[in-house]
């Protein structure tokens, strides 16, 4: 997420962003997200797209058991926190032996943002995840298009992003990042509100490299969720 502080006078609709805490209930947990609009701007508040994507995950739309997931431009970390809680919740429905094998494997969820936002992001993760779940979560720096070498190609099964496609100058770097993190079997879920023509332009750019479909729409919050997967090479022939 871009770190753009806004003025107090930006409008009545921004008042909820100035609240120090935003409270939610997901995965049978009460989640309290700290917000800091003054210091970090849009990276430190909970946007509707994050709420809609978290709700979509809770609906069981994707299988999180044994899944390696990453959230891009996490900001407050709500989506990654919910994904981690849901992954462990579904894990404990598995037989004991399978559960032990999955728990001994690598981290289930990696939550990323730019370096300047990491300490704030970590504080929310630590405040909302029990210690036994925190051990399966990594908070890690990721600046799109730059430090991709610290991530293995095709490392993740599920890539999550909420309201991350609003800055046109980041589109090329974001596409490069998605291409690097995805395998042929990875699923990308992007939640966004279509505010400007440039948002549609990004979706058109995405469709050149990925198969894209809209899988959910929340009319109350006017948020769309798009699913993307790498194109089969045969489809491009």
């Amino acid at each position: 997420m871009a770190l753009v502080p806004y003025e107090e006078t930006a409008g009545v609709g921004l008042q909820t962003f100035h609240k120090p805490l935003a409270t939610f209930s997901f995965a049978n947990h009460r989640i309290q997200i700290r917000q800091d609009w003054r210091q970090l701007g849009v990276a430190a508040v909970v946007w509707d797209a994050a709420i809609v994507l978290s709700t979509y995950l809770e609906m069981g739309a994707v299988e999180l058991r044994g899944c390696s997931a990453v959230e891009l431009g996490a900001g407050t970390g709500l989506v990654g926190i919910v994904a981690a809680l849901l992954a462990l919740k579904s894990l404990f429905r598995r037989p004991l032996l399978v559960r032990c094998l999955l728990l001994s494997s690598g981290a289930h969820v990696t939550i990323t943002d730019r370096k300047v936002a990491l300490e704030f992001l970590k504080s929310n993760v630590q405040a909302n995840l029990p210690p036994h779940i925190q051990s399966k979560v990594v908070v890690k720096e990721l600046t799109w298009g730059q430090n991709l070498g610290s991530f293995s190609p095709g490392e993740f099964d599920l890539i999550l992003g909420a309201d991350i496609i609003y800055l046109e100058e980041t589109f090329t770097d974001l596409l490069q990042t998605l291409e690097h993190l995805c395998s042929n079997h990875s699923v990308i879920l992007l939640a966004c509100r279509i505010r400007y023509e440039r948002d549609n332009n990004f979706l058109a750019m995405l469709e050149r490299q990925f198969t894209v479909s809209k899988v959910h729409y929340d009319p109350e919050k006017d948020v769309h969720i798009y699913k993307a997967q790498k194109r089969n090479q045969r489809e491009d022939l």
Side-chain angles (χ1 to χ4, degrees), residues 27-102:
N28 298 324
H29 279 72
R30 184 170 181 263
I31 300 172
Q32 282 198 313
I33 297 294
R34 187 166 67 90
Q35 301 190 122
D36 194 345
W37 178 265
R38 283 178 173 272
Q39 294 299 315
L40 294 173
V42 298
V45 294
V46 178
W47 293 88
D48 283 345
I51 300 169
V52 173
L53 184 52
S54 296
T55 302
Y56 184 73
L57 294 176
E58 189 173 45
M59 289 163 54
V62 294
E63 177 59 76
L64 290 168
R65 288 183 297 188
C67 174
S68 177
V70 61
E71 183 186 5
L72 306 182
T76 63
L78 176 63
V79 173
I81 289 167
V82 171
L85 289 169
L86 290 171
L88 206 75
K89 181 181 177 182
S90 62
L91 177 63
F92 277 90
R93 298 189 187 123
R94 302 290 288 268
L96 180 60
L97 178 59
V98 176
R99 199 186 310 165
C100 292
L101 288 171
L102 289 173

Side-chain angles (χ1 to χ4, degrees), residues 107-112 134-140:
H108 279 291
V109 179
T110 302
I111 308 176
T112 70
Q134 285 188 38
S135 66
K136 308 303 296 178
V137 174
V138 172
V139 175
K140 191 171 180 178

Side-chain angles (χ1 to χ4, degrees), residues 205-217:
M205 294 169 65
L206 187 67
E207 286 181 336
R208 295 181 196 133
Q209 297 173 244
F210 297 86
T211 300
V212 181
S213 61
K214 184 163 70 173
V215 293
H216 183 72
Y217 176 65

Side-chain angles (χ1 to χ4, degrees), residues 9 19 26 47 72 75 81 102 104 158 176:
T9 56
K19 294 179 179 179
F26 287 107
W47 293 88
L72 306 182
I81 289 167
L102 289 173
S104 64
L158 178 65
Q176 182 187 356

Side-chain angles (χ1 to χ4, degrees), residues 11-28:
V12 176
L14 302 180
Q15 289 179 357
T16 56
F17 295 156
H18 292 281
K19 294 179 179 179
L21 287 174
T23 303
F24 307 93
S25 178
F26 287 107
N28 298 324

Side-chain angles (χ1 to χ4, degrees), residues 151-204:
F151 296 84
S152 301
E155 181 173 346
F156 299 100
D157 304 308
L158 178 65
I159 294 91
L160 302 167
D163 245 343
I164 63 172
I165 65 171
Y166 59 93
L167 285 177
E168 194 165 13
E169 59 265 33
T170 67
F171 288 177
T172 299
D173 289 336
L174 176 54
L175 284 171
Q176 182 187 356
T177 301
L178 292 172
E179 177 72 24
H180 180 83
L181 298 177
C182 283
S183 71
N184 290 333
H185 306 289
S186 302
V187 171
I188 301 168
L189 291 177
L190 298 177
C192 62
R193 180 176 292 162
I194 303 298
R195 300 179 178 89
Y196 309 105
E197 184 58 30
R198 63 174 179 262
D199 301 335
N200 284 317
N201 292 341
F202 174 81
L203 294 174

